[in-house]
Amino acid sequence: MAKRPTIAIQGIKASFHEEAALTYFGEEIETLECMTFKRMFEEMKQERADYIVMAIENSIAGSLLPNYSLLQDYNFPIIGEIFLPVQLHLLALPGLRFEDIKYVQSHPIAIRQCEEFLQDLQGITVLEKSDTAACAKEIQDLQLKDTVAIANLNAAKAFGLEVLERRIESNKKNYTRFLVIAREHEDIKDANKASVCFRVNNKPGSLAKVLTIFAQNNINLSKIQSMPVLGKPNEYNFYLDLEWTEQKAYDLSLRKILKYTHNLSVMGEYKSNDTRK
């Protein structure tokens, strides 16, 4: 029997990261729980994980900027993506009443996604924790009768909690995009999307020239993100997601932008999997 792949996830079982991993790989996997994003990369570096599934952006909260740095620091290849609809619920021990609630706890990103709902709760303290599912588990483990968690239905089922309020996220079309990262390079058949990173000269029009080359070759930019380079004033890393219909046009674009960029790296070539469309 073939060995199940081990997938490093941020958080614990029943978290959104585990849900994303199951969506991409199916049920026949082992998940490796990591409390930080960096820990996932360290586990794969030590060959205790075969893949990483990592959130990179959310339609409400925006990009997870530190995760771009991790991609650069560890240089493991991106081989896929998942767009996971985020449905958030208010979970509590069975029988808890609204008037008993003193604390709401969840991951900071989940809290941001539910700001409108939380603004209507009077006299309740919001606690930021490391993981949505772990917040739900803590309520069950410690039998917290004054605390509720913001998490998904998997967490409610896993830890025997009751749903006090359903779908409390501000935007009902809320998605988180996850990247699938491998320990070793894999050839992806019919790849039509890439994540690249580069720097440009600090001169007027340098970035515009690069973007013009992509436009002239019908390369769609579905994402552009800049981050300052530490210790180098006025220098930025630009992270781009590129999509194409003709492989030759993509290859030509990369060759042409070499004239205007430096430190160009292709972080991964994979299939576009935007299920929001």
Side-chain angles (χ1 to χ4, degrees):
M1 181 181 293
K3 175 183 174 291
R4 291 185 175 194
T6 299
I7 319 299
I9 60 171
Q10 192 273 318
I12 67 173
K13 292 182 184 298
S15 66
F16 285 106
H17 274 80
E18 186 191 50
E19 186 177 346
L22 292 169
T23 299
Y24 188 87
F25 289 100
E27 299 288 334
E28 298 300 314
I29 61 173
E30 299 290 340
T31 51
L32 180 60
E33 300 174 351
C34 304
M35 287 301 103
T36 66
F37 289 111
K38 184 173 182 178
R39 185 74 247 160
M40 297 190 301
F41 285 85
E42 284 294 320
E43 293 291 345
M44 194 147 79
K45 183 179 178 181
Q46 298 299 323
E47 299 188 0
R48 289 190 284 264
D50 302 304
Y51 299 93
I52 289 168
V53 170
M54 179 182 74
I56 195 67
E57 62 182 299
N58 175 265
S59 54
I60 296 175
S63 297
L64 281 72
L65 296 181
N67 290 357
Y68 284 97
S69 297
L70 289 171
L71 290 169
Q72 283 289 93
D73 293 343
Y74 286 87
N75 201 32
F76 290 123
I78 301 167
I79 63 161
E81 64 179 358
I82 311 108
F83 284 82
L84 191 70
V86 176
Q87 298 182 0
L88 294 164
H89 313 278
L90 203 64
L91 310 182
L93 289 173
L96 185 73
R97 299 173 302 172
F98 256 99
E99 51 265 38
D100 298 325
I101 301 173
K102 294 181 181 178
Y103 304 99
V104 177
Q105 60 185 29
S106 194
H107 189 280
I109 298 295
I111 290 169
R112 284 182 63 187
Q113 293 166 6
C114 302
E115 283 180 342
E116 291 182 14
F117 176 84
L118 294 174
Q119 285 171 0
D120 294 333
L121 299 182
Q122 301 297 319
I124 293 176
T125 302
V126 178
L127 305 175
E128 295 186 353
K129 299 291 185 74
S130 63
D131 178 57
T132 55
C135 288
K137 183 175 185 295
E138 183 180 56
I139 289 174
Q140 179 60 256
D141 289 347
L142 302 180
Q143 288 292 292
L144 300 177
K145 297 180 180 179
D146 60 358
T147 304
V148 293
I150 298 173
N152 61 15
L153 290 178
N154 290 342
K157 182 178 179 181
F159 306 117
L161 300 183
E162 189 175 78
V163 180
L164 277 185
E165 192 78 27
R166 291 179 178 270
R167 300 300 303 274
I168 65 171
E169 68 274 10
S170 301
N171 188 328
K172 304 309 178 188
K173 295 183 179 179
N174 183 15
Y175 281 80
T176 295
R177 179 182 177 226
F178 295 80
L179 297 178
V180 182
I181 303 156
R183 193 167 69 224
E184 300 175 352
H185 174 77
E186 298 182 8
D187 288 323
I188 307 298
K189 186 179 180 182
D190 299 324
N192 61 354
K193 187 170 184 176
S195 295
V196 304
C197 177
F198 58 79
R199 301 177 195 173
V200 296
N201 297 324
N202 187 26
K203 297 178 181 178
S206 295
L207 180 60
K209 290 175 181 176
V210 173
L211 300 183
T212 297
I213 289 171
F214 289 132
Q216 290 172 339
N217 288 277
N218 294 315
I219 305 299
N220 181 47
L221 272 64
S222 57
K223 173 78 175 181
I224 181 167
Q225 180 73 54
S226 64
M227 285 185 63
V229 178
L230 292 179
K232 295 188 176 182
N234 299 319
E235 280 205 41
Y236 291 83
N237 282 321
F238 290 93
Y239 298 90
L240 276 65
D241 288 337
L242 312 174
E243 298 182 11
W244 63 88
T245 54
E246 294 186 11
Q247 181 73 35
K248 289 190 293 185
Y250 163 69
D251 294 338
L252 178 61
S253 296
L254 287 191
R255 290 198 298 271
K256 284 189 172 182
I257 68 170
L258 287 172
K259 182 178 179 180
Y260 305 106
T261 65
H262 55 280
N263 291 62
L264 173 65
S265 66
V266 177
M267 297 187 293
E269 297 174 347
Y270 48 97
K271 283 187 178 181
S272 174
N273 187 32
D274 192 344
T275 52
R276 299 171 301 173
K277 298 176 181 178

